Every structure is written in structure tokens, then in C-alpha cells.
Short mmCIF file of all heavy atoms in Angstrom, two decimals:
data_model
loop_
_atom_site.label_atom_id
_atom_site.label_comp_id
_atom_site.label_asym_id
_atom_site.label_seq_id
_atom_site.Cartn_x
_atom_site.Cartn_y
_atom_site.Cartn_z
N ILE A 161 8.74 -8.49 -10.60
CA ILE A 161 7.92 -7.35 -11.01
C ILE A 161 7.38 -7.66 -12.40
O ILE A 161 8.15 -7.98 -13.32
CB ILE A 161 8.73 -6.04 -11.06
CG1 ILE A 161 9.30 -5.69 -9.68
CG2 ILE A 161 7.87 -4.90 -11.61
CD1 ILE A 161 8.28 -5.28 -8.65
N THR A 162 6.07 -7.56 -12.57
CA THR A 162 5.48 -7.88 -13.87
C THR A 162 4.74 -6.70 -14.49
O THR A 162 4.35 -6.78 -15.66
CB THR A 162 4.48 -9.04 -13.73
OG1 THR A 162 3.44 -8.66 -12.79
CG2 THR A 162 5.17 -10.30 -13.22
N HIS A 163 4.56 -5.60 -13.73
CA HIS A 163 3.77 -4.48 -14.25
C HIS A 163 4.14 -3.21 -13.49
O HIS A 163 4.58 -3.27 -12.34
CB HIS A 163 2.28 -4.78 -14.09
CG HIS A 163 1.38 -3.80 -14.78
ND1 HIS A 163 1.40 -3.58 -16.14
CD2 HIS A 163 0.42 -2.96 -14.29
CE1 HIS A 163 0.48 -2.67 -16.47
NE2 HIS A 163 -0.11 -2.27 -15.35
N VAL A 164 3.97 -2.06 -14.16
CA VAL A 164 4.24 -0.77 -13.52
C VAL A 164 3.20 0.24 -13.97
O VAL A 164 2.71 0.20 -15.10
CB VAL A 164 5.67 -0.26 -13.85
CG1 VAL A 164 5.86 -0.06 -15.35
CG2 VAL A 164 5.97 1.03 -13.09
N GLY A 165 2.84 1.12 -13.06
CA GLY A 165 1.95 2.23 -13.35
C GLY A 165 2.41 3.45 -12.59
O GLY A 165 3.45 3.45 -11.94
N MET A 166 1.64 4.52 -12.67
CA MET A 166 1.99 5.77 -12.01
C MET A 166 0.80 6.26 -11.19
O MET A 166 -0.33 6.30 -11.69
CB MET A 166 2.38 6.82 -13.05
CG MET A 166 2.72 8.20 -12.48
SD MET A 166 3.21 9.36 -13.78
CE MET A 166 4.78 8.65 -14.28
N TYR A 167 1.06 6.62 -9.94
CA TYR A 167 -0.02 7.13 -9.10
C TYR A 167 -0.50 8.46 -9.65
O TYR A 167 0.29 9.34 -10.00
CB TYR A 167 0.46 7.29 -7.66
CG TYR A 167 -0.67 7.56 -6.69
CD1 TYR A 167 -1.63 6.58 -6.42
CD2 TYR A 167 -0.79 8.80 -6.06
CE1 TYR A 167 -2.67 6.83 -5.55
CE2 TYR A 167 -1.83 9.05 -5.18
CZ TYR A 167 -2.78 8.05 -4.93
OH TYR A 167 -3.81 8.31 -4.07
N PHE A 168 -1.83 8.61 -9.71
CA PHE A 168 -2.43 9.78 -10.33
C PHE A 168 -3.07 10.72 -9.32
O PHE A 168 -3.34 11.87 -9.62
CB PHE A 168 -3.49 9.33 -11.35
CG PHE A 168 -3.94 10.40 -12.29
CD1 PHE A 168 -3.08 10.91 -13.26
CD2 PHE A 168 -5.23 10.92 -12.21
CE1 PHE A 168 -3.50 11.90 -14.13
CE2 PHE A 168 -5.66 11.92 -13.08
CZ PHE A 168 -4.79 12.41 -14.03
N GLY A 169 -3.27 10.22 -8.12
CA GLY A 169 -3.92 11.01 -7.08
C GLY A 169 -5.33 10.51 -6.79
O GLY A 169 -5.94 9.83 -7.62
N ASN A 170 -5.83 10.81 -5.59
CA ASN A 170 -7.19 10.43 -5.20
C ASN A 170 -7.45 8.94 -5.32
O ASN A 170 -8.54 8.50 -5.74
CB ASN A 170 -8.23 11.20 -6.02
CG ASN A 170 -8.15 12.70 -5.81
OD1 ASN A 170 -7.97 13.16 -4.68
ND2 ASN A 170 -8.25 13.47 -6.89
N GLY A 171 -6.44 8.15 -4.93
CA GLY A 171 -6.61 6.70 -4.92
C GLY A 171 -6.61 6.05 -6.29
O GLY A 171 -6.95 4.87 -6.42
N ARG A 172 -6.20 6.78 -7.33
CA ARG A 172 -6.19 6.24 -8.68
C ARG A 172 -4.77 6.18 -9.24
O ARG A 172 -3.88 6.89 -8.80
CB ARG A 172 -7.06 7.09 -9.60
CG ARG A 172 -8.53 7.18 -9.16
CD ARG A 172 -9.34 8.02 -10.13
NE ARG A 172 -8.82 9.38 -10.22
CZ ARG A 172 -9.12 10.24 -11.20
NH1 ARG A 172 -9.90 9.85 -12.19
NH2 ARG A 172 -8.63 11.45 -11.20
N PHE A 173 -4.59 5.30 -10.22
CA PHE A 173 -3.30 5.24 -10.92
C PHE A 173 -3.53 5.12 -12.41
O PHE A 173 -4.62 4.78 -12.87
CB PHE A 173 -2.43 4.09 -10.37
CG PHE A 173 -2.83 2.71 -10.82
CD1 PHE A 173 -2.04 2.00 -11.72
CD2 PHE A 173 -3.98 2.09 -10.33
CE1 PHE A 173 -2.38 0.72 -12.13
CE2 PHE A 173 -4.33 0.81 -10.72
CZ PHE A 173 -3.54 0.12 -11.62
N ILE A 174 -2.51 5.46 -13.17
CA ILE A 174 -2.58 5.45 -14.63
C ILE A 174 -1.53 4.49 -15.15
O ILE A 174 -0.40 4.45 -14.65
CB ILE A 174 -2.39 6.88 -15.19
CG1 ILE A 174 -2.54 6.91 -16.70
CG2 ILE A 174 -1.07 7.49 -14.75
CD1 ILE A 174 -2.62 8.34 -17.28
N HIS A 175 -1.91 3.68 -16.12
CA HIS A 175 -0.98 2.67 -16.63
C HIS A 175 -1.40 2.23 -18.03
O HIS A 175 -2.50 2.57 -18.50
CB HIS A 175 -0.93 1.46 -15.69
CG HIS A 175 -2.23 0.72 -15.55
ND1 HIS A 175 -2.29 -0.63 -15.26
CD2 HIS A 175 -3.54 1.12 -15.64
CE1 HIS A 175 -3.55 -1.03 -15.17
NE2 HIS A 175 -4.32 0.02 -15.40
N ALA A 176 -0.51 1.49 -18.69
CA ALA A 176 -0.80 0.92 -20.00
C ALA A 176 -1.10 -0.56 -19.81
O ALA A 176 -0.24 -1.31 -19.35
CB ALA A 176 0.38 1.11 -20.95
N THR A 177 -2.31 -0.94 -20.13
CA THR A 177 -2.74 -2.32 -19.94
C THR A 177 -3.16 -2.94 -21.26
O THR A 177 -3.67 -2.23 -22.14
CB THR A 177 -3.91 -2.39 -18.94
OG1 THR A 177 -4.49 -3.69 -18.96
CG2 THR A 177 -4.99 -1.38 -19.27
N GLY A 178 -2.92 -4.23 -21.40
CA GLY A 178 -3.25 -4.91 -22.64
C GLY A 178 -4.72 -4.87 -22.99
O GLY A 178 -5.09 -4.96 -24.16
N GLU A 179 -5.59 -4.72 -21.99
CA GLU A 179 -7.03 -4.70 -22.25
C GLU A 179 -7.53 -3.34 -22.71
O GLU A 179 -8.44 -3.25 -23.54
CB GLU A 179 -7.80 -5.11 -20.98
CG GLU A 179 -7.60 -6.57 -20.57
CD GLU A 179 -6.27 -6.80 -19.88
OE1 GLU A 179 -5.67 -5.82 -19.40
OE2 GLU A 179 -5.83 -7.96 -19.84
N GLN A 180 -6.96 -2.23 -22.16
CA GLN A 180 -7.52 -0.91 -22.41
C GLN A 180 -6.52 0.12 -22.92
O GLN A 180 -6.89 1.26 -23.16
CB GLN A 180 -8.15 -0.37 -21.12
CG GLN A 180 -9.25 -1.24 -20.55
CD GLN A 180 -9.82 -0.67 -19.26
OE1 GLN A 180 -10.40 0.41 -19.25
NE2 GLN A 180 -9.63 -1.39 -18.16
N GLY A 181 -5.26 -0.23 -23.08
CA GLY A 181 -4.26 0.77 -23.41
C GLY A 181 -4.00 1.64 -22.20
O GLY A 181 -4.16 1.22 -21.05
N VAL A 182 -3.61 2.89 -22.42
CA VAL A 182 -3.34 3.80 -21.31
C VAL A 182 -4.66 4.24 -20.71
O VAL A 182 -5.50 4.84 -21.41
CB VAL A 182 -2.51 5.01 -21.76
CG1 VAL A 182 -2.27 5.96 -20.59
CG2 VAL A 182 -1.16 4.55 -22.34
N THR A 183 -4.85 3.97 -19.43
CA THR A 183 -6.12 4.25 -18.77
C THR A 183 -5.89 4.57 -17.30
O THR A 183 -4.83 4.27 -16.75
CB THR A 183 -7.07 3.03 -18.91
OG1 THR A 183 -8.36 3.38 -18.44
CG2 THR A 183 -6.55 1.83 -18.13
N ILE A 184 -6.89 5.18 -16.68
CA ILE A 184 -6.85 5.52 -15.26
C ILE A 184 -7.85 4.64 -14.53
O ILE A 184 -8.99 4.47 -14.99
CB ILE A 184 -7.20 7.01 -15.04
CG1 ILE A 184 -6.22 7.91 -15.79
CG2 ILE A 184 -7.19 7.35 -13.54
CD1 ILE A 184 -6.62 9.37 -15.80
N MET A 185 -7.44 4.10 -13.37
CA MET A 185 -8.35 3.25 -12.61
C MET A 185 -8.01 3.31 -11.13
O MET A 185 -6.92 3.75 -10.76
CB MET A 185 -8.30 1.81 -13.13
CG MET A 185 -6.97 1.13 -13.00
SD MET A 185 -6.91 -0.44 -13.93
CE MET A 185 -8.44 -1.22 -13.46
N PRO A 186 -8.93 2.87 -10.26
CA PRO A 186 -8.66 2.88 -8.82
C PRO A 186 -7.56 1.88 -8.45
O PRO A 186 -7.54 0.76 -8.96
CB PRO A 186 -10.00 2.48 -8.20
CG PRO A 186 -11.02 2.68 -9.27
CD PRO A 186 -10.31 2.45 -10.57
N LEU A 187 -6.68 2.28 -7.55
CA LEU A 187 -5.66 1.36 -7.08
C LEU A 187 -6.29 0.23 -6.26
O LEU A 187 -5.72 -0.84 -6.14
CB LEU A 187 -4.63 2.12 -6.23
CG LEU A 187 -3.43 1.33 -5.71
CD1 LEU A 187 -2.68 0.63 -6.84
CD2 LEU A 187 -2.49 2.26 -4.94
N ALA A 188 -7.49 0.47 -5.73
CA ALA A 188 -8.19 -0.55 -4.96
C ALA A 188 -8.80 -1.63 -5.85
O ALA A 188 -9.27 -2.66 -5.35
CB ALA A 188 -9.29 0.11 -4.12
N ALA A 189 -8.80 -1.42 -7.18
CA ALA A 189 -9.38 -2.41 -8.08
C ALA A 189 -8.53 -3.68 -8.10
O ALA A 189 -7.30 -3.63 -7.99
CB ALA A 189 -9.49 -1.83 -9.49
N GLU A 190 -9.20 -4.81 -8.23
CA GLU A 190 -8.49 -6.08 -8.36
C GLU A 190 -8.24 -6.38 -9.84
O GLU A 190 -9.01 -5.96 -10.70
CB GLU A 190 -9.31 -7.21 -7.71
CG GLU A 190 -9.48 -7.08 -6.21
CD GLU A 190 -8.17 -7.15 -5.44
OE1 GLU A 190 -7.13 -7.54 -6.04
OE2 GLU A 190 -8.17 -6.79 -4.25
N PRO A 191 -7.13 -7.06 -10.13
CA PRO A 191 -6.20 -7.68 -9.18
C PRO A 191 -5.09 -6.77 -8.67
O PRO A 191 -4.22 -7.21 -7.93
CB PRO A 191 -5.61 -8.83 -10.01
CG PRO A 191 -5.51 -8.23 -11.38
CD PRO A 191 -6.76 -7.37 -11.53
N TYR A 192 -5.12 -5.49 -9.06
CA TYR A 192 -3.97 -4.62 -8.79
C TYR A 192 -3.76 -4.36 -7.30
O TYR A 192 -2.62 -4.27 -6.84
CB TYR A 192 -4.12 -3.32 -9.57
CG TYR A 192 -4.16 -3.56 -11.06
CD1 TYR A 192 -5.35 -3.50 -11.77
CD2 TYR A 192 -3.00 -3.91 -11.75
CE1 TYR A 192 -5.39 -3.76 -13.12
CE2 TYR A 192 -3.03 -4.17 -13.11
CZ TYR A 192 -4.23 -4.09 -13.79
OH TYR A 192 -4.27 -4.36 -15.13
N SER A 193 -4.85 -4.26 -6.54
CA SER A 193 -4.69 -3.98 -5.11
C SER A 193 -3.88 -5.07 -4.42
O SER A 193 -2.95 -4.79 -3.66
CB SER A 193 -6.07 -3.84 -4.45
OG SER A 193 -5.92 -3.54 -3.08
N ARG A 194 -4.22 -6.34 -4.68
CA ARG A 194 -3.49 -7.43 -4.02
C ARG A 194 -2.14 -7.71 -4.66
O ARG A 194 -1.27 -8.32 -4.06
CB ARG A 194 -4.35 -8.69 -3.99
CG ARG A 194 -4.67 -9.28 -5.35
CD ARG A 194 -5.50 -10.56 -5.20
NE ARG A 194 -6.06 -10.99 -6.45
CZ ARG A 194 -5.38 -11.66 -7.38
NH1 ARG A 194 -4.11 -11.96 -7.18
NH2 ARG A 194 -5.98 -12.02 -8.51
N GLN A 195 -1.95 -7.27 -5.91
CA GLN A 195 -0.67 -7.49 -6.58
C GLN A 195 0.33 -6.36 -6.32
O GLN A 195 1.47 -6.44 -6.79
CB GLN A 195 -0.89 -7.65 -8.09
CG GLN A 195 -1.63 -8.92 -8.47
CD GLN A 195 -1.86 -9.04 -9.96
OE1 GLN A 195 -1.68 -8.09 -10.72
NE2 GLN A 195 -2.30 -10.22 -10.40
N PHE A 196 -0.09 -5.33 -5.60
CA PHE A 196 0.80 -4.21 -5.28
C PHE A 196 2.07 -4.75 -4.62
O PHE A 196 2.02 -5.50 -3.64
CB PHE A 196 0.10 -3.24 -4.33
CG PHE A 196 0.96 -2.07 -3.90
CD1 PHE A 196 0.89 -0.86 -4.57
CD2 PHE A 196 1.82 -2.17 -2.82
CE1 PHE A 196 1.67 0.22 -4.18
CE2 PHE A 196 2.61 -1.10 -2.42
CZ PHE A 196 2.54 0.10 -3.11
N LYS A 197 3.22 -4.35 -5.16
CA LYS A 197 4.50 -4.84 -4.66
C LYS A 197 5.28 -3.76 -3.92
O LYS A 197 5.73 -3.93 -2.80
CB LYS A 197 5.34 -5.37 -5.83
CG LYS A 197 6.73 -5.86 -5.47
CD LYS A 197 6.70 -7.21 -4.82
CE LYS A 197 8.11 -7.77 -4.68
NZ LYS A 197 8.10 -9.11 -4.05
N CYS A 198 5.44 -2.59 -4.56
CA CYS A 198 6.19 -1.51 -3.96
C CYS A 198 5.94 -0.23 -4.74
O CYS A 198 5.34 -0.25 -5.82
CB CYS A 198 7.69 -1.82 -3.93
SG CYS A 198 8.44 -2.09 -5.56
N ALA A 199 6.41 0.89 -4.20
CA ALA A 199 6.28 2.18 -4.88
C ALA A 199 7.60 2.92 -4.79
O ALA A 199 8.36 2.75 -3.82
CB ALA A 199 5.15 2.99 -4.27
N ARG A 200 7.86 3.75 -5.78
CA ARG A 200 9.11 4.50 -5.84
C ARG A 200 8.83 5.94 -6.25
O ARG A 200 7.93 6.22 -7.04
CB ARG A 200 10.08 3.86 -6.84
CG ARG A 200 10.48 2.42 -6.51
CD ARG A 200 11.44 2.37 -5.35
NE ARG A 200 11.93 1.02 -5.10
CZ ARG A 200 11.42 0.18 -4.20
NH1 ARG A 200 10.36 0.57 -3.47
NH2 ARG A 200 11.92 -1.02 -4.03
N ARG A 201 9.66 6.85 -5.72
CA ARG A 201 9.54 8.28 -6.02
C ARG A 201 10.89 8.81 -6.48
O ARG A 201 11.93 8.44 -5.93
CB ARG A 201 9.07 9.03 -4.78
CG ARG A 201 8.91 10.54 -4.96
CD ARG A 201 8.35 11.17 -3.68
NE ARG A 201 7.03 10.63 -3.39
CZ ARG A 201 6.47 10.64 -2.17
NH1 ARG A 201 7.12 11.16 -1.14
NH2 ARG A 201 5.26 10.13 -1.99
N LEU A 202 10.86 9.67 -7.48
CA LEU A 202 12.10 10.29 -7.97
C LEU A 202 12.77 11.02 -6.81
O LEU A 202 12.14 11.82 -6.13
CB LEU A 202 11.78 11.25 -9.11
CG LEU A 202 12.97 11.78 -9.91
CD1 LEU A 202 13.63 10.66 -10.71
CD2 LEU A 202 12.52 12.89 -10.85
N SER A 203 14.05 10.75 -6.61
CA SER A 203 14.76 11.37 -5.50
C SER A 203 15.40 12.68 -5.92
O SER A 203 15.55 12.99 -7.09
CB SER A 203 15.84 10.43 -4.97
OG SER A 203 16.96 10.41 -5.84
N ALA A 204 15.81 13.46 -4.95
CA ALA A 204 16.41 14.78 -5.21
C ALA A 204 17.75 14.65 -5.91
O ALA A 204 18.28 15.62 -6.44
CB ALA A 204 16.59 15.53 -3.89
#
């Protein structure tokens, strides 16, 4: 695992990136779409 972000809704996620700081972008954007590894949700 080399990076983490948070799903924001409507196909977008929010994360802190070296290029833009904290920003919102489409999960379909490359390279993030192909680098997607897994997702996790806070459990009860």
C-alpha cells in the first residue's frame, strides 16, 4: 500500500497528494483508477 484517500461520493475521492495538497478528484482518474487496491469501512 503506497497511498490512501477517502471516498467522497459521486465517483470522487478526497486525498492529500504531493502535487496539490488536500484535493477532490474522480476515482476514475489515472493513475488512481488502475492503482486501486482495496477499500475499507469503519465497522460497528
